[in-house]
Amino acid sequence: MALLTLAGFCLAQPAQATPLLRCAVTYAGSTQTIEATPVADPYVVASVDIGGRFWFKPVVVGQGSRLDYIKLYAYLDTASQPVLIQEAKYLPPFASAQLPASLTGEQHLYAGHLERELIYNCTLQGVQP
């Protein structure tokens, strides 16, 4: 009987989801979805090529369901090397979200001699208050 009670208790507890950062990144009318989960070492996260013009790097640092911080980096790709055009840092406490909640709002970045536009919006889900 005790085992059945324990099993029922375990099933009644909501499973803790791993936090997920999902960013919709748009350049030249094409949108990519980039996802990031917590890592212990931010230096292992790779940047993602966006249309051969930009690089985008979402970094979620934490362990399990605990988040220490989120950093977003956007770079303009140039002939010599990528140039940082934005770094955004988000610290806890993060709002609890049953549905994905916007973390960043819609961001519009302009860079390069032609002022090319990069647009992104990131949502965060699976965060416990």
Side-chain angles (χ1 to χ4, degrees), residues 65-110:
S65 63
R66 185 196 85 239
L67 294 184
D68 297 327
Y69 64 85
I70 296 171
K71 283 191 176 182
L72 304 172
Y73 301 91
Y75 301 88
L76 174 68
D77 198 6
T78 67
S80 58
Q81 67 182 22
V83 175
L84 181 67
I85 58 173
Q86 184 188 50
E87 175 186 358
K89 183 176 185 178
Y90 299 90
L91 298 170
F94 299 103
S96 175
Q98 295 298 81
L99 300 172
S102 181
L103 177 69
T104 63
E106 188 171 273
Q107 301 293 309
H108 294 254
L109 307 178
Y110 301 92

Side-chain angles (χ1 to χ4, degrees), residues 8-74:
F9 178 75
C10 291
L11 291 174
Q13 297 299 312
Q16 286 212 328
T18 299
L20 175 67
L21 181 71
R22 181 174 286 139
C23 299
V25 183
T26 303
Y27 169 68
S30 179
T31 301
Q32 292 177 240
T33 300
I34 302 168
E35 295 183 342
T37 55
V39 296
D41 180 6
Y43 299 104
V44 301
V45 178
S47 297
V48 178
D49 177 34
I50 308 295
R53 297 278 185 197
F54 293 97
W55 291 91
F56 188 79
K57 181 178 178 178
V59 179
V60 179
V61 174
Q63 196 167 31
S65 63
R66 185 196 85 239
L67 294 184
D68 297 327
Y69 64 85
I70 296 171
K71 283 191 176 182
L72 304 172
Y73 301 91

